[in-house]
Amino acid sequence: NISNVNANSIEKFIDNLAEKTDLHTEIKNWIYGYIIAKEYTLYSLHGKLNLKNFDFYPNELYAKAVAKDLSIKFHENITPVKSNLAYAELKNDSLFFHLEKPTYMEKPLDGSSVVIRNIIGKNSNMSVNITTNSFLDNDIHAILKAYGIDFPVSQKSGNLDSNLTLDIVFDPFSISSNGEFMLKDANIDIGGADFYTKYANIYLKDNVIKFKNSNLMNNIFDANVDGELDANLKKAKFDAKFNKLCINECRIFAASDINDTINLDYNKDLNITADKLNLSINIAKNNQIKVKNLKELKQYSPLMEKLSIVDGDLLIQTPDFSKFDVDFSSAKFDLPFLNLQNNPYDEDHFKILINKNIRSEEHTSELQSHLNLVC
């Protein structure tokens, strides 16, 4: 038994342990190399040694220590985690590090821990647990990217509770990830597009990201969604309830309480499609909104009602969601007009320019007064 020993380094102890046990190089690096403290206090160390042949029993080693001014380098390509104090315990061939007030890039990681299992036995592995209520931003993404994990959700504001675990097997090397990210009242980016969320429950399993009971809002819609995003394919599919779908202050399109399936693809620009609504949204420099087969959606379009349009395809382009270039192609309408050949005039192609600064009024001359209409 050894107790109450202070040391500035455990390097020689680990070297001797590695020599006696064929300790895996990566295990050795983690115990001393990736995890380094300025001072160690060994509260207790006990084990068993055969005095005749000097064989010892590493699986029966037990140790408890405290490390001060700890630096943990999770990966060679990322900034180390700092902790003023860490409690270490070796038992059952596993080494546990409980970190006190750890920080990463000045972000608090309270509750985070590291455990290395089967240090001397076979199938050596480790788990890194990272908890934080700081923003889910590029600093946190750096840890994931270092291990080849693409997480296409970034947080710009709001509240977050997150718990991320990286499980690493050393030989052969493999890594798996599990994470829970609970967002409230937050502005987020998904695949390059901005959204606001009242609440979002996001779960990570390797490169598959699940949204459960989550809310997403942007300039066009407010929807509650459940679904799955594949980070490898850069595609997602959600079951959604549109609480509100509104274009140009609901003058072009206005709908609520509609259940639909949303597909998301961010391989290039972000493309969002809604199956039942025949709706396609492309988020890019010049945002595009397409709606096909308007006949079934006429009830949701005040503009169609005003123009007496009963069917057609709709293309809306807007750089900033304040000015809209509206294109009605193959528009069919119900008006008592005849063309020059005395045939019913019931189909044409409309282009409408709408400026958000123009306030609409409820009278029949609205289109003539406020819209630049080309037939």
Side-chain angles (χ1 to χ4, degrees), residues 254-311:
S256 60
D257 297 326
I258 296 179
N259 295 318
D260 205 341
T261 299
I262 295 179
N263 297 285
L264 184 149
D265 187 326
Y266 61 99
N267 277 281
K268 191 177 179 182
D269 300 328
L270 178 65
N271 289 286
I272 303 170
T273 60
D275 293 346
K276 292 180 181 179
L277 290 171
N278 295 320
L279 176 68
S280 174
I281 303 172
N282 177 262
I283 306 295
K285 185 175 181 180
N286 190 25
N287 304 293
Q288 289 189 347
I289 305 165
K290 294 181 181 179
V291 186
K292 293 187 176 181
N293 304 321
L294 291 168
K295 184 176 182 179
E296 296 180 3
L297 304 178
K298 179 184 176 183
Q299 58 180 315
Y300 304 121
S301 177
L303 183 60
M304 287 180 65
E305 293 285 350
K306 291 179 183 298
L307 293 175
S308 298
I309 293 176
V310 296
D311 201 357

Side-chain angles (χ1 to χ4, degrees), residues 115-185:
V115 56
I116 306 174
R117 304 181 188 88
N118 300 330
I119 293 176
I120 299 166
K122 295 181 180 180
N123 303 316
S124 300
N125 64 88
M126 70 177 294
S127 293
V128 177
N129 179 258
I130 302 169
T131 63
T132 182
N133 56 11
S134 297
F135 285 175
L136 182 60
D137 58 11
N138 290 335
D139 292 338
I140 301 299
H141 284 177
I143 298 175
L144 296 171
K145 288 180 180 178
Y147 289 103
I149 300 169
D150 179 20
F151 192 73
V153 181
S154 296
Q155 180 188 7
K156 299 179 179 180
S157 68
N159 302 310
L160 169 72
D161 286 318
S162 71
N163 189 309
L164 171 66
T165 299
L166 302 175
D167 293 309
I168 302 169
V169 176
F170 295 113
D171 192 12
F173 181 83
S174 66
I175 183 168
S176 62
S177 59
N178 287 277
E180 297 181 358
F181 307 90
M182 308 299 158
L183 292 153
K184 288 184 180 179
D185 189 24

Side-chain angles (χ1 to χ4, degrees), residues 8 24 43 56 151 189 198 231 278-280 283 307 321 347:
N8 294 325
H24 192 284
Y43 291 143
F56 81 110
F151 192 73
D189 177 297
K198 298 176 185 175
N278 295 320
L279 176 68
S280 174
I283 306 295
L307 293 175
F321 294 95
E347 185 173 347

Side-chain angles (χ1 to χ4, degrees), residues 94-106:
S94 295
L95 181 60
F96 302 85
F97 289 91
H98 303 280
L99 309 180
E100 188 171 286
K101 296 183 178 179
T103 60
Y104 170 67
M105 302 290 285
E106 299 184 354

